[in-house]
């Protein structure tokens, strides 16, 4: 279904980032599309919209938590379904680089 920045799943992700920061957890892996399998409804446009929402919300959560003190997230991994199309993967890496400052090269 539709997920917005105020959806309970996003509030849960915020709580996850907060809990990690407050408990010395420095690595997080998050399913970027909130799904482990691709389906027919997951068009390129759908994937890009969902990924943009996730990237921007997670970035905002991390910035918010940085102001509270605690541990900084040093490694953030976004998990994609194994069967994602290569073109969509490439578009997502470009989107990631435009939203986050990437300190290390993106690995395929």
């Amino acid at each position: 279904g539709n997920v917005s920045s105020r959806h309970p799943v996003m509030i849960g992700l915020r709580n996850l980032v907060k809990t990690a920061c407050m408990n010395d957890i420095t690595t997080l892996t998050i399913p970027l599309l909130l799904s482990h399998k691709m389906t027919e409804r997951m068009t390129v446009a759908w994937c890009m919209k969902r990924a943009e929402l996730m990237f921007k919300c997670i970035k905002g959560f991390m910035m918010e938590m940085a102001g509270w003190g605690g541990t900084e997230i040093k490694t953030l991994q976004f998990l994609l379904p194994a069967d994602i199309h290569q073109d969509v993967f490439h578009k997502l890496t470009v989107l990631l680089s435009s939203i986050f400052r990437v300190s290390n090269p993106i690995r395929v």
Side-chain angles (χ1 to χ4, degrees), residues 10-26:
M10 299 311 288
I11 303 304
L13 278 173
R14 180 186 176 274
N15 291 335
L16 176 85
V17 173
K18 180 179 179 181
T19 299
C21 290
M22 301 311 272
N23 290 284
D24 296 328
I25 296 169
T26 60

Side-chain angles (χ1 to χ4, degrees), residues 12-62:
L13 278 173
R14 180 186 176 274
N15 291 335
L16 176 85
V17 173
K18 180 179 179 181
T19 299
C21 290
M22 301 311 272
N23 290 284
D24 296 328
I25 296 169
T26 60
T27 301
L28 286 179
T29 302
I30 298 169
L32 181 61
L33 303 179
L34 300 176
S35 177
H36 293 292
K37 294 181 181 177
M38 295 298 291
T39 64
E40 286 184 19
R41 71 178 173 87
M42 298 167 91
T43 63
V44 173
W46 184 95
C47 291
M48 297 304 292
K49 183 178 176 184
R50 173 66 57 91
E52 182 178 16
L53 173 73
M54 291 289 290
F55 287 150
K56 287 182 176 178
C57 284
I58 295 296
K59 181 179 180 178
F61 300 154
M62 292 175 67

Side-chain angles (χ1 to χ4, degrees), residues 8 46 68 100:
W46 184 95
W68 292 19
F100 285 88

Side-chain angles (χ1 to χ4, degrees), residues 35-97:
S35 177
H36 293 292
K37 294 181 181 177
M38 295 298 291
T39 64
E40 286 184 19
R41 71 178 173 87
M42 298 167 91
T43 63
V44 173
W46 184 95
C47 291
M48 297 304 292
K49 183 178 176 184
R50 173 66 57 91
E52 182 178 16
L53 173 73
M54 291 289 290
F55 287 150
K56 287 182 176 178
C57 284
I58 295 296
K59 181 179 180 178
F61 300 154
M62 292 175 67
M63 291 170 62
E64 178 184 354
M65 298 312 146
W68 292 19
T71 304
E72 183 178 303
I73 302 293
K74 297 190 183 328
T75 304
L76 180 59
Q77 301 173 91
F78 291 104
L79 186 66
L80 291 168
D83 57 340
I84 196 161
H85 193 275
Q86 189 68 27
D87 289 343
V88 177
F89 177 84
H90 176 71
K91 288 178 182 190
L92 292 173
T93 62
V94 171
L95 181 62
L96 173 70
S97 298

